[in-house]
Amino acid sequence: MPETFPLTKVCGGDLTAVVEQAPQEDMVDHVWITLNCGIASRVIVAVNTWSRRNAAEGFDGRIRMGILRGRSEFLPPRGASPMTSFHYEDWENEANIFYEHMSKEEAARNILDFCQEAEVLEAWGEHYMRHHQPGIHQVHSRRASCAVREDIRGQDGGLKFFRRDGHAFAWTMVFLKFCGQP
């Protein structure tokens, strides 16, 4: 994606999701979701389930997960495209989003369950390459946290899962925050 676009949005189906594997349990902090966006290769979405940086500095490593639900008559188009910005605040100003603290196991289980139910995932975050495979990461609030002082506004990442519900689609939008983020 061009440098002028800080975020990338991907949308696709044929979802697979696994909890990251590592030799040491304390290094496991992601769920890896792969999806078919209709581009040359499958895309990886790296979703944090724990903040190793917060935990390493003595802060709460758990994430806070916010959920928003709705309905749509249509699915978004598959593909990958640049985004100029995304603000959690915009959604929080329109809806009462309650954030719940979760252990990394609870967060991983929720993400895996959403993937299992979904036909399509729309996700946005920062573009990156993982072992020569395109993907996105930073799929969470980018505001300053207890351990990260840099306050990045308008570049929040997130997830929106779509599943068939009668003649329409129910969606579940997932917002993720770390310790100290507003």
Side-chain angles (χ1 to χ4, degrees), residues 45-163:
V45 179
V47 183
N48 284 84
T49 57
W50 179 256
S51 173
R52 288 188 297 160
R53 288 179 74 174
N54 276 333
E57 291 192 27
F59 299 110
D60 191 345
R62 295 176 300 169
I63 63 157
R64 292 181 293 139
M65 183 180 289
I67 304 290
L68 184 63
R69 290 187 167 82
R71 292 180 54 79
S72 175
E73 295 300 314
F74 304 100
L75 290 173
R78 292 177 189 237
S81 59
M83 291 178 69
T84 55
S85 67
F86 187 86
H87 300 268
Y88 279 13
E89 294 168 8
D90 294 342
W91 291 85
E92 292 165 343
N93 289 336
E94 297 296 320
N96 184 20
I97 301 172
F98 175 75
Y99 288 88
E100 182 179 354
H101 283 94
M102 295 189 177
S103 68
K104 63 180 165 180
E105 294 80 14
E106 291 170 318
R109 173 55 34 217
N110 278 348
I111 298 299
L112 293 171
D113 288 347
F114 290 140
C115 286
Q116 187 173 12
E117 294 175 0
E119 285 185 43
V120 168
L121 169 62
E122 184 176 64
W124 53 97
E126 187 176 279
H127 174 75
Y128 85 121
M129 296 294 286
R130 181 173 177 2
H131 305 294
H132 306 290
Q133 190 170 6
I136 61 170
H137 66 158
Q138 306 291 359
V139 183
H140 51 72
S141 173
R142 301 292 306 279
R143 298 294 307 274
S145 69
C146 292
V148 177
R149 304 296 180 246
E150 186 177 19
D151 192 33
I152 301 173
R153 292 177 175 257
Q155 295 180 31
D156 300 329
L159 304 163
K160 193 172 186 181
F161 296 93
F162 293 84
R163 64 175 174 76

Side-chain angles (χ1 to χ4, degrees), residues 16-60:
T16 59
V18 296
V19 174
E20 175 181 31
Q21 298 294 307
Q24 298 172 316
E25 179 59 31
D26 61 344
M27 298 300 288
V28 174
D29 65 343
H30 288 90
V31 168
W32 303 103
I33 305 170
T34 61
L35 59 152
N36 180 348
C37 295
I39 61 175
S41 66
R42 291 178 65 82
V43 174
I44 296 173
V45 179
V47 183
N48 284 84
T49 57
W50 179 256
S51 173
R52 288 188 297 160
R53 288 179 74 174
N54 276 333
E57 291 192 27
F59 299 110
D60 191 345

